[in-house]
Every structure is written in C-alpha cells, then in structure tokens.
C-alpha cells in the first residue's frame, strides 16, 4: 500500500529505486531515522497523515535504511477486511520470528500460539486466556528477538489492525523501555488507535509546500506546464499522491478521467476514477486476479498464496504492474495504494464482486474464519448457513481472547439470520462480547439494534444489563447513574432480582461520583425492592457501598454473612474483600484478595467494579509492592479496553505509594495523569485520591504549604468531605501539614466536623487517625492523651504506615518535652517500620529525630535499598524471593531484559555482586535492624 507519490515511479518502472529521493519530507525522514536509531531515546513514534501524504513510502524508506544498518525489521500492514480477524495483524508481524517463541516460558508460548490458532486443541478449547498474558508473551518475544541486534517494528495502516492485535501490541510497546526495539506506527489522520492514543509522540504529515509540490511535478516523466500545471497544483492541495496521479491522467489525455471540465471533484472520488481507468484494456485474467486480490484485501502474502492467487512471478500480474496498479516484491503482490484496491473492487459489478468472494471462500477452506467473512460478503440477503458459520467464527475468536472480532462476527451473523428473534439474540450476544472491548458506544449501538428487533422483555433486560456492566466502568457517572436507576425502578415490581443487579451497578457509580443525592436515590430504590434471602449479598453490597458509615455495626454483621457465603461460593471473595475494605476491615479485605488471587489470578477481562479497592487495601496493609502489581494489571487491562477511569483509579494508588517511597516527581506525574483522565467534578473519588497523593508528595519534600493546599481540596469550603469515604483518611495528614504551615485553626475545624459526622460509626482506624490529628493540632500540654489514643488499639498494627507516623509524632512530642528516654522506644519502632516499607522521607525524619534523642543510628542495608527507585525495590524484593527474571517480568509486566537491567544497576548500590546475596540482604538485615537501633 503506497501513499507517497514520490515513491510512485513512471508507468514503465513501477518499483522505485531504493535511493530515489522523497520530495519535501526531509525533516520527517530525519525524525524517523533518528527514532529508528538504537541509540535514540524514542522508542515509539506514530506517523499520522491523510490518504496520499506518503506514510507508507516514508516507512519503507526507513525500513530499508534500518536493514542496511544491520537492524532486524518486523513489518505488518493492516487491511480493512482483516480488522475482523482476531490476531491477524499480530500473526503477520511475528510470523518471521515465531520459531524463537520456543524459548518463551511454557504458558507464554502456549497462549501466543493459541492466539494464532496454532496451539494444541486442548488449549484452544480451554476457555479465554489470561487477558494480559498474550501481551507479556509478545513483550518477551520482542525482547528475545533483540538479543543479538536491534529491532525495528513497523505497523503500517494500523487503523485497520484488529483490536486484539492492537491490545497485545500496545501492551508490549509501552513496556519496551531499555530494549533495543523501536516501533513506528503509520496511521490515517483522524482515526483513533486503541491503546496508542495517549502519551505516544506523533509526527503529522501535512501537505507539501509549494516549492516541494513544484519539484515533485518536475520529476515526473512528462512534467505538466502552464494552466494545466496550475490546475493540478490547485486541485492536489499539496497531496503528493494526487500530484502524481493527476499528472498521469492528464498525460494520458483521457478526458473521461483526467482533469474535470469545471471545478474540482472530491479528491478521493477523482483518484478512484483515475485508477479505475487503468483497468481498461487489461487482459481478462489480469482483471480477474486484481478483483480477487481486491476482494481478499490482505496484506499478508502467505494468505494470498493459500487463497490460490497467481504467485508474484506469474506473468498475469505484468500488465497491472505496467499500469502502476500493483507492485511486486519477493513473494508479495500489493496494490500501490488503498484507493487502487477500492477502485478495482468498485469498478466490478455486484455480481462479479459476489463471484470473487465465493471463489475466495472456496479457495480458503483451510482458513475457516476468512472463509466465513467471504461467504458473508457474497450474501445479498439473509443466509442462515452463513450466519451459522459466523457464529462459529465468533466462538473461535472468543476462545482466543478476540472479543472485538467475536462481536463483529455476531453482529454480521445477526444481519444474515432470517429470523428476527434470532437476530435480536445474536445482537445481545454481540453486546456481551463487545463489553470486553470497553467501547461503550458500540455496545449501546448493538443494544439499540436488538431493541428494534424484539419485544422479548427478558432479552432486552439482558441487553441493558450488559450495557450497564460496561457503563459502570466509564467516567460518564451522571448519565450512567440515571440510566441504571431509571431501569431498576421500571423493573422493581416485575423483575426485582434484575432491578437489584442494576442497582448494585448504580451503587458503584455512586461511589465513584461521590454525589450525595445519588445515595438518597439508591436507598429509596432499595427500600422498594422485596427482601429475598437468595439476594442478600447484593443488598449488602448496595447498602455498604452507598454509605459504609451508616450503622457500621449492622454493616459488619452483614459482612460476616457475606464472608460465610463466600466459603461456599468462593467467586464472591473479591466482593467480600471490597466490602471489608470499605468498612476499614483491611486485614479481612487483604485475606480475601489474597485468596482470590490464589484461586483465579483475577483473570477477568475487565477491572472489577471498585477494583481499585485491591490496591488501596494493600497500601493500607503495608504491602506496597503488591499494591503496585495490582495497579500494573489494572492499568494494562484498562488501557487495552479504553477504560480511562479504571486507569485513573490505578494511577492514584501508584501515586500514593511513590509519594510514600519518596519519588515525589513520579508521584506527581501519576496523580496528574489520573486527573487528566477524568472529570474531577464527575469522579470525586479519583480527584480526592489524586490530591491525597499530591499532598503526600509535597510533604515528602518538606513543602508543607503545598501539601496543605492539596489536602485542603479533599474537603469542601465549609469543611465537609468532598467524598464520603475517600476524604476521611486524609485528616491526619492535613493536620500534620497544617501545623507546619500555620493553618492549625482551619484544620482543627475540619477535623472536628468530620469527627461529629462520623460519630459512633467511625472505624477504629478512623478514630485513631482523628486522635492523631487532634494531638498534632492541640496545644502542646494537651496533646499526649490524643497521641496515646491513636496508638492504644493493638489492631492498629494492621495499618503499619499510619501507626508508624503516630509513633513518630509521639516520639517527637516526648523529646520536645525532654522525655528523651521515653521517646526512644516509639522512635525505634517507627524507624524499623519505615525501613521495612521503604518509606524514604520518613526514614530520614525518624533518623534525624533518633540522633536528636541520642540514639546511635547506623547505616544499614535497608537504607541502601531505600536509595533505589521504587520499581527497582520491587524487583529486588521479588528476586530475593527466588523469582526468575521472567517470573518477575510476568508479575510486573516488564521484559526479562528490563528486569535484568534494573538488577544490574541495583547491585552496586546495594554493595553486592550476586543474586544469591539478596535474600540475606533483605531478610537478615531487616530482622536485626530494630535490635541495632
């Protein structure tokens, strides 16, 4: 597929000389060449342009230069028809290196081959693969391929890549930092590219300037002059392809397809006419081969061979090559531009088009998915047998994780089935598959189409539930909440179980939005629904999620029942974990999440509703590495499905951990990422979490005025919480910042208002945080009882960072009261906890306070560990547990080489030379750190 006119030679020389200059694109070529250089910091670059601006030619030029420089080039071109075939583009890209997949871990190799339909039958029929494992396999394979030389990955016409391939590639490409792998992506301007839309630098190809356009015309075999030249320049508008093709049309003196007699035609229509004119006079065999190639629309030469088209050396192609319709290179026969394919296809009659698709279907009996789509293209009306073929295609796509491909096949099957009720059922099934793509408008389109075909109440309700399931995960909180609650109200009498299910989804939206009016709406609807023992768990969910601090004692009893139910139904463990986290029963939440991970590895294709609870529970419990692992997973799934809100939730958890670990710059970047992904007024929960992280980052740097300003935004102007659950844990940090920047009285009013609002429903954890805040804000002679209260309950050890902060506050207060001997015990305990967590800023504070208290503080290995970046610390701890680089890579979604690079850079900082020393370093020194202090 050719897009650069400078790469379209004269009719008698269709394949350009590799050294032929590309006109007017010197800056773009330089940028691409720089990106393709292994020494460049650019690891991915998107080349964006309209039809005919030269994307393909520039990419091919860069590929030739990279190959000449010794790089390995992997190349795939998208094709419109294959966008419906799961993993077709990925297979095309990786086919040359699939032999090297033998070196991958067994699970990765199996899931990759299975995605391409090459795995054992047992794998192909064992259900949907783990969502991110295919991406990990692609990452590992590209890393392995780059072991001996740099790799250039070129994805051309990526707007036509199938969604499954885009998900796997975007996952891998974002994690190739530090690898000698560069990715260049050619994409049509204005076409969104799932997974690559954010944070990918783009190089946009605009029109050629006047001087370059003139030069390109001068390079043509018969350069136009005078008024003809002026009209060509005017109509082409700087589009290189148009400049060359209009010149060719005029040169051929073809009045029917040359310059229009008056006024310009739409450029693409005009160019299609120009290309179609070249079909005149071609031999019938050539015309038929061109139509088959156009109907097939595959950029994969292996598929062309299997479809029975003449091979590239066959003389059948020569007339088309001489007419500059195709180009031949090795085994490949390609149209020189997508418009040529379109012109060839649409120049044929409808009957000829159908015959071509039927012929391809017959040739592709060993390619059942492609065969099904060709049969569908050949069907002018309903065709039950073809509809059944497409349903089987959808089943195969789903088993390989190709949900978009499955939904498209089901949608087309619905169009072809002769029965309206069956059509509606297939559309609902398509919506169920499309949910996993994250494309809510498409899901809603499918649901609307189903609604137009049936009056079946159960089917329509099922469709609405599917749309609601996805809608809950988006950021359209006000709209989604109204839609779900209105439908729940409508179904409350006739189908109360479905209404309760919809209300449960609406309650998640209520949590994200934090809108208080929604709580009243939820509670009103819940009262209207009959109580049913079979659905007690859902009622508990609605009640606790909508307001965890309303009758906490009663909610704890409901939690106990839900936990008992989960013993018989372990799929409910995640639900129990979320409810426990909301009620500040963090130890129980973490146990439930641990068991859920052990049982299923959380293999769902979408984040759970309130999935951020997993990360926050691990943060509160002091298991920060696992919190970041959970965030990495949610981020990967969220990006792949286009669910910005899920990505934002994960980013806030990541940000708070980074802030606690002292990487303030990275913490700010992640928090700002979260705020740009959502509307803070629509998603108060994300806004509050992000601002808590920004406050923690500022406090870590000692910028207490900034910290206070950020944390003050977690409460309204009159001191009420912005979010009914997320704001309260910030009270103690707000007080700590207020004391250091002279805002004590304002903070005291906020703390006391929150204490009154919570009353007896405050959890032991929140009571401890309020006590700590009161101690910080109190007059010095009145502070001790509050600090003691913040530490009184032994259960508070389950929140180690918060407890260590309280211990440090008490120790500082004691030392300032000259009770130095008493200060040493809480100081030593706080320092040990901060060391274990890797909370670098708090380690330094505790060390300084310890010296002031006369303690002999010595450097130790854990302090050396604290000098590493948070990601390096994660990798070191996993390596100390005995995990290999590949196993660490699977957990953190990194390539094995990236893991190895982090380890290599970390060892000198830790003063060790071998991996075998890590366990002693991490465990042994931590065990003795407290005694030394």
């Amino acid at each position: 597929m050719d897009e650069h006119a400078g790469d379209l030679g004269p009719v008698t020389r269709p394949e350009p000389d590799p050294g032929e200059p590309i006109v007017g694109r010197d800056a773009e070529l330089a940028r691409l060449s720089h990106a393709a250089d292994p020494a460049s910091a650019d690891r991915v670059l998107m080349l964006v342009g309209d039809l005919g601006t030269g994307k393909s030619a520039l990419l091919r030029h860069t590929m030739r230069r990279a190959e000449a420089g010794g790089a390995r080039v992997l190349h795939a071109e998208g094709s419109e028809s294959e966008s419906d075939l799961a993993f077709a583009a990925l297979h095309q890209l990786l086919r040359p290196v699939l032999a090297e997949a033998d070196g991958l871990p067994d699970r990765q190799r199996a899931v990759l081959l299975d995605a391409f339909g090459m795995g054992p039958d047992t794998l192909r029929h064992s259900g949907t693969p783990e969502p991110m494992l295919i991406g990990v396999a692609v990452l590992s394979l590209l890393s392995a391929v780059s072991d001996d030389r740099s790799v250039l990955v070129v994805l051309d016409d990526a707007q036509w890549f199938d969604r499954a391939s885009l998900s796997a590639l975007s996952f891998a490409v974002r994690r190739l930092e530090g690898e000698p792998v560069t990715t260049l992506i050619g994409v049509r301007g204005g076409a969104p590219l799932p997974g690559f839309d954010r944070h990918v630098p783009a190089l946009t190809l605009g029109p050629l300037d006047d001087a370059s356009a003139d030069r390109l015309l001068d390079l043509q075999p018969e350069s136009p002059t005078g008024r003809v030249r002026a009209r060509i320049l005017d109509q082409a508008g700087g589009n290189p392809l148009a400049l060359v093709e209009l010149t060719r049309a005029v040169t051929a003196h073809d009045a029917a397809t040359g310059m229009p007699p008056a006024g310009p035609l739409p450029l693409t229509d005009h160019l299609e006419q120009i290309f179609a004119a070249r079909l005149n006079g071609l031999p019938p065999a050539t015309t038929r081969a061109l139509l088959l190639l156009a109907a097939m629309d595959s950029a994969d030469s292996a598929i062309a061979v299997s479809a029975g088209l003449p091979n590239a050396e066959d003389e059948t192609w020569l007339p088309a090559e001489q007419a500059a319709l195709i180009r031949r290179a090795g085994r490949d026969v390609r149209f020189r531009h997508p418009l040529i394919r379109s012109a060839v296809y649409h120049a044929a009659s409808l009957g000829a088009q159908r015959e071509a698709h039927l012929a391809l279907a017959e040739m592709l009996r060993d390619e059942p998915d492609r065969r099904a789509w060709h049969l569908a293209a050949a069907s002018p009306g309903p065709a039950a047998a073809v509809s059944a073929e497409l349903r089987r295609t959808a089943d195969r796509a789903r088993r390989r994780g190709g949900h978009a491909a499955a939904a498209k096949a089901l949608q087309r099957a619905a169009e072809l089935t002769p029965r309206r009720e069956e059509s509606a059922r297939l559309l609902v099934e398509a919506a169920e598959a499309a949910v996993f793509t994250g494309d809510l408008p498409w899901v809603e389109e499918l649901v609307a189409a189903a609604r137009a075909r049936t009056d079946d109440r159960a089917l329509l309700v099922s469709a609405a539930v599917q749309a609601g399931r996805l809608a809950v995960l988006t950021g359209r909180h006000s709209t989604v909440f109204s839609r779900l609650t209105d439908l729940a109200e409508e179904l409350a009498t006739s189908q109360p179980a479905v209404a309760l299910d919809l209300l449960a989804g609406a309650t998640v939206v209520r949590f994200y939005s934090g809108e208080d009016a929604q709580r009243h709406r939820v509670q009103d609807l819940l009262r209207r629904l009959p109580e049913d023992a079979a659905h007690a768990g859902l009622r508990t969910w609605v009640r606790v999620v909508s307001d965890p601090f309303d009758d906490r004692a009663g909610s704890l009893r409901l939690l106990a029942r839900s936990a008992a139910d989960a013993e018989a139904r372990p799929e409910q463990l995640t639900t129990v974990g979320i409810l426990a986290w909301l009620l500040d029963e963090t130890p129980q939440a973490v146990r439930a999440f641990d068991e859920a991970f052990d049982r299923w590895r959380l293999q769902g294709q979408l984040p759970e509703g309130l999935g951020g609870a997993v990360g926050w529970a691990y943060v509160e419990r002091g298991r920060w590495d696992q919190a970041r692992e959970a965030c990495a997973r949610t981020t990967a799934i969220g990006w792949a499905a286009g669910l910005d809100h899920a990505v934002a939730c994960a980013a806030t958890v990541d940000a708070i951990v980074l802030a606690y670990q002292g990487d303030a710059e990275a913490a700010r970047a992640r928090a700002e990422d979260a705020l740009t992904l959502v509307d803070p007024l629509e998603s108060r929960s994300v806004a509050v979490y992000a601002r808590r992280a920004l406050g923690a980052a500022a406090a870590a740097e000692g910028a207490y005025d900034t910290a206070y300003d950020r944390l003050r935004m977690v409460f309204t102007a009159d001191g009420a919480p912005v979010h009914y659950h997320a704001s309260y844990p910030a009270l103690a940090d707000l007080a700590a910042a207020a004391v250091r920047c002279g805002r004590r009285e304002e903070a005291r009013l906020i703390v006391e208002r929150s204490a009154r609002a919570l009353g007896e429903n405050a959890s032991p954890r929140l009571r401890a945080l309020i006590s700590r805040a009161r101690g910080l804000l109190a007059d010095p002679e009145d502070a001790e009882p509050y600090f003691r209260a913040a530490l009184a309950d032994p259960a508070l050890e389950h929140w180690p960072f918060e407890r260590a902060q309280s211990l440090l506050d008490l120790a500082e207060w004691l030392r300032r009261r000259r009770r130095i001997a008493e200060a040493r015990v809480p100081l030593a305990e706080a320092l040990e906890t901060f060391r274990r967590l890797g909370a670098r800023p708090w380690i330094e504070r505790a060390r300084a306070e310890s010296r002031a208290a006369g303690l002999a503080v010595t450097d130790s290995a854990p302090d050396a560990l604290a000098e590493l970046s948070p990601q390096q610390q994660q990798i070191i701890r996993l390596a100390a547990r005995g995990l290999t680089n590949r196993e660490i890579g699977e957990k953190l979604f990194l390539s094995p080489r990236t893991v190895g690079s982090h380890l290599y850079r970390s060892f000198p900082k830790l003063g060790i030379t071998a991996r075998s020393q890590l366990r002693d370093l991490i465990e042994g020194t931590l065990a003795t750190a407290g005694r030394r202090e």
Side-chain angles (χ1 to χ4, degrees):
M1 298 181 184
D2 203 336
E3 294 191 351
H4 197 293
D7 204 21
L8 289 170
V11 170
T12 56
R13 186 175 59 82
E15 185 63 21
D17 173 46
E20 180 181 356
I22 295 178
V23 176
R25 301 296 194 197
D26 292 348
E28 291 87 346
L29 273 175
R31 175 77 187 279
L32 288 168
S33 296
H34 175 74
D37 187 333
S40 169
D42 292 330
R43 296 269 61 95
V44 57
L45 179 65
M46 188 177 294
L47 185 63
V48 182
D50 293 330
L51 277 169
T53 51
K55 299 185 297 296
S56 297
L58 288 167
L59 290 172
R60 284 201 304 275
H61 182 92
T62 306
M63 287 163 58
R64 287 193 293 265
R65 288 193 59 175
E67 285 179 323
R72 188 172 207 165
V73 176
L74 299 177
H75 175 225
E77 287 185 24
S79 61
E80 193 168 7
S81 67
E82 293 197 348
S83 64
D84 297 329
L85 297 174
F87 298 109
L90 185 65
H91 191 195
Q92 183 193 158
L93 179 77
L94 297 181
R95 183 186 285 113
V97 294
L98 269 183
E100 300 189 43
D102 289 343
L104 297 180
D106 290 345
R107 284 201 318 144
Q108 293 182 30
R109 181 179 67 256
V111 78
L112 188 63
L113 295 179
D114 191 44
F116 300 150
M118 300 166 63
D121 288 345
T122 53
L123 275 176
R124 286 211 301 272
H125 297 283
S126 63
T128 302
E130 190 175 347
M132 292 301 106
L133 191 56
I134 293 174
V136 173
V138 174
L139 174 64
S140 298
L141 182 58
L142 290 175
S143 176
V145 168
S146 66
D147 274 345
D148 56 348
R149 53 178 165 153
S150 63
V151 172
L152 176 64
V153 174
V154 177
L155 312 176
D156 197 8
D157 280 326
Q159 74 277 356
W160 286 332
F161 277 28
D162 62 277
R163 182 65 178 265
S165 292
L166 282 174
S167 293
L169 287 167
S170 64
F171 175 94
V173 164
R174 286 197 304 274
R175 290 162 177 80
L176 283 167
E177 182 182 357
E179 304 279 350
V181 180
T182 299
T183 303
L184 302 179
I185 307 165
V187 65
R188 183 120 6 124
L193 196 63
F196 290 99
D197 293 340
R198 295 183 186 276
H199 307 304
V200 174
L203 174 61
T204 301
L205 296 179
L208 295 178
D209 59 33
D210 292 345
S212 296
D214 268 322
R215 184 180 168 213
L216 185 56
L217 291 184
D218 288 340
L219 292 173
Q220 300 313 301
E222 295 185 42
S223 180
T225 59
R227 292 182 60 194
V228 172
R229 185 185 187 96
R231 289 194 69 191
I232 291 173
L233 287 168
D234 178 62
Q235 169 131 1
N239 184 289
L241 178 66
L243 287 163
V244 170
E245 295 305 330
L246 290 172
T247 299
R248 280 181 175 152
V250 172
T251 301
H253 302 290
D254 189 337
T257 59
M259 295 294 290
L265 290 173
L267 186 59
T268 53
D269 291 348
H270 190 193
L271 285 174
E272 280 201 20
Q273 292 178 31
I274 292 172
F275 292 135
R278 297 185 194 167
L279 296 171
N280 297 333
L282 292 180
T286 301
T287 301
R288 181 178 184 277
L290 285 171
L291 179 55
L292 286 173
L293 184 63
M296 186 182 65
D297 184 32
S298 175
D300 194 331
S301 58
I303 302 304
V305 171
S306 68
L309 270 69
N311 62 46
E313 293 78 23
D314 196 294
E315 291 302 307
T316 302
W317 297 113
L318 182 59
E321 187 177 37
Q322 291 174 336
L325 294 170
I326 63 163
R327 58 184 175 87
R328 295 186 284 178
R331 298 171 58 195
D332 291 347
V333 179
R334 305 281 179 90
F335 286 113
R336 298 183 66 82
H337 194 275
L339 287 177
I340 301 177
R341 182 253 175 189
S342 180
V344 168
Y345 187 79
H346 291 294
S349 67
L350 291 177
Q353 291 172 5
R354 286 198 292 272
E355 287 178 9
H357 285 295
L358 286 171
L360 288 167
E362 183 64 26
M363 296 172 185
L364 290 168
R365 286 189 172 275
D366 293 334
E367 294 277 348
D369 296 335
R370 289 183 171 86
R371 169 183 163 80
W373 280 106
H374 283 300
L375 289 172
S379 300
V386 178
S387 178
E389 289 276 1
L390 286 168
R391 291 200 296 274
R392 286 190 282 272
T393 286
D395 287 342
R396 286 188 290 269
R398 273 187 296 213
R399 284 196 297 267
R400 298 198 300 266
H403 296 287
K408 288 180 181 179
L410 289 165
Q411 186 175 15
R412 182 66 173 130
E415 294 167 357
L416 290 175
T417 187
R419 293 164 37 217
R420 285 179 62 83
E421 284 298 316
E422 175 70 5
S423 176
R425 187 188 66 76
L426 288 171
L427 285 167
V428 172
E429 197 175 338
E432 292 173 354
V435 161
F436 296 112
T437 70
D439 189 340
L440 183 58
W442 186 20
V443 173
E444 291 176 334
E445 173 194 328
L446 292 166
V447 170
R451 191 177 296 119
R453 285 170 169 79
T454 185
D455 296 324
D456 185 324
R457 189 67 173 165
L459 199 59
L460 292 176
V461 167
S462 175
V465 169
Q466 290 304 320
R469 179 185 180 193
L470 177 56
V472 164
L473 298 173
T474 69
R476 296 162 48 182
H477 298 318
S478 298
T479 301
V480 170
F481 182 85
S482 297
R483 183 184 305 163
L484 292 174
T485 51
D486 288 350
L487 186 56
E489 183 173 25
E490 182 183 339
L491 297 172
T493 301
S494 61
Q495 298 189 59
V498 175
L500 184 59
D501 190 82
L502 292 166
L503 190 59
T507 305
V508 174
V509 179
R510 141 73 175 160
F511 180 89
Y512 286 141
S513 74
E515 177 59 56
D516 201 50
Q518 294 178 355
R519 174 174 64 92
H520 299 300
R521 173 78 164 142
V522 166
Q523 292 175 341
D524 178 59
L525 285 171
L526 187 62
R527 281 192 293 269
R528 298 190 205 179
L529 294 172
E531 296 206 24
D532 178 356
H535 300 100
L538 269 183
R539 293 185 69 90
T540 299
W541 173 270
V542 172
R543 177 175 164 178
V544 174
V545 174
S546 63
D547 191 350
F549 300 121
D550 179 20
D551 184 18
R552 184 172 185 274
S555 294
L556 288 175
R557 288 192 293 272
L558 293 173
L559 174 62
R561 291 177 199 164
S562 295
D565 289 343
E567 292 180 7
R569 301 170 60 199
E571 68 274 9
Q572 299 296 316
L573 282 168
T574 302
T575 299
V576 169
I578 293 169
L579 294 175
W581 170 72
L582 286 166
L583 292 167
D584 275 338
E585 296 296 312
T586 305
Q588 182 177 358
V590 167
R591 286 194 300 273
F593 292 141
D594 283 347
E595 190 173 348
F597 272 107
D598 289 342
R599 286 177 179 267
W600 301 292
R601 300 175 60 83
L602 295 187
Q603 292 181 14
Q605 292 288 320
L606 291 177
E608 295 279 348
L610 291 185
V614 177
W616 281 108
Y618 283 137
V619 169
E620 292 164 10
R621 192 67 184 86
R623 290 163 58 171
W624 294 352
D625 288 347
Q626 286 170 284
R628 297 199 70 201
E629 287 174 32
C631 290
R633 182 182 184 83
T634 299
T635 300
I637 296 173
W639 276 129
L643 296 173
D644 288 353
H645 193 269
V647 175
C649 290
T652 61
V653 181
D654 223 12
I656 201 80
V657 174
L658 289 165
Y660 290 164
Q661 291 178 327
D663 194 343
E665 184 177 353
R668 279 192 292 270
R670 295 293 281 143
E672 295 295 346
D673 282 346
L675 290 171
T676 60
L677 288 168
V678 300
D679 178 350
L681 297 178
E682 276 276 286
S683 188
R684 291 175 179 82
S685 61
V686 170
V688 166
Y689 290 137
R691 284 162 183 154
R692 280 172 54 187
L694 290 170
E701 294 180 315
Y704 294 109
D705 282 297
T706 302
Y708 184 83
D709 290 341
R710 297 291 181 269
L711 294 168
R712 181 63 182 83
M713 296 174 74
V714 170
F715 299 89
T716 64
D718 61 358
V722 168
H723 188 274
Y724 66 96
H725 184 271
S727 291
Y728 289 125
L731 287 167
D733 290 336
L734 177 80
V739 168
R740 289 169 172 81
C741 68
R743 310 285 284 276
R744 188 186 300 261
E745 191 54 41
E746 183 181 34
R748 183 183 288 119
L749 293 173
I750 294 171
V751 169
E752 295 307 322
R753 174 171 180 156
S754 293
R756 287 193 301 273
L758 288 166
E760 293 301 313
N761 288 311
S763 66
R765 176 203 177 197
L766 287 180
R767 286 199 294 272
L769 289 173
I770 290 170
S771 292
R772 179 189 168 214
R774 284 170 167 165
L776 289 164
L777 297 169
D779 292 334
E781 60 274 13
D782 300 327
E784 185 173 9
Y786 296 119
F787 287 134
R788 298 291 183 187
L791 295 163
D793 191 338
L796 298 175
E797 293 180 358
H798 294 304
W799 291 267
F801 184 65
E802 292 171 4
R803 176 177 167 80
Q805 288 177 303
S806 295
L807 286 166
L808 181 57
D809 290 335
L810 172 62
E812 288 177 336
W813 182 87
L814 288 169
R815 188 183 66 79
R816 283 160 180 73
R817 308 299 288 177
R818 302 187 185 282
R819 294 160 62 179
I820 293 175
E822 292 178 68
R824 289 173 179 168
V825 174
L827 262 179
E829 187 179 345
L831 180 56
E832 181 182 357
T833 300
F834 292 141
R835 286 177 184 260
R836 177 169 55 81
L837 295 173
R840 193 182 315 173
W842 282 267
I843 291 171
E844 293 308 312
R845 263 188 62 192
R847 285 164 59 91
E849 190 66 25
S850 297
R851 292 191 191 95
L855 287 171
V857 180
T858 58
D859 291 332
S860 61
D863 286 336
L865 186 66
E867 294 304 314
L868 304 179
S869 73
Q871 188 170 65
Q872 287 172 336
Q873 291 181 38
Q874 255 186 306
I875 290 169
I876 288 293
R877 290 190 178 101
L878 290 171
R881 284 161 46 188
L883 275 67
T884 66
N885 287 4
R886 281 177 172 168
E887 290 169 336
I888 295 170
E890 277 195 23
K891 272 186 167 292
L892 303 183
F893 305 112
L894 301 171
S895 73
R897 178 188 280 121
T898 299
V899 172
S901 176
H902 279 300
L903 288 170
Y904 178 79
R905 294 198 301 271
S906 300
F907 281 11
K909 298 178 184 178
L910 297 172
I912 63 174
T913 57
R915 198 184 193 105
S916 59
Q917 298 171 273
L918 284 174
R919 183 169 182 175
D920 288 341
L921 174 77
I922 300 299
E923 296 181 1
T925 53
L926 280 175
T928 59
R931 289 195 297 272
R932 283 203 306 268
E933 299 299 340

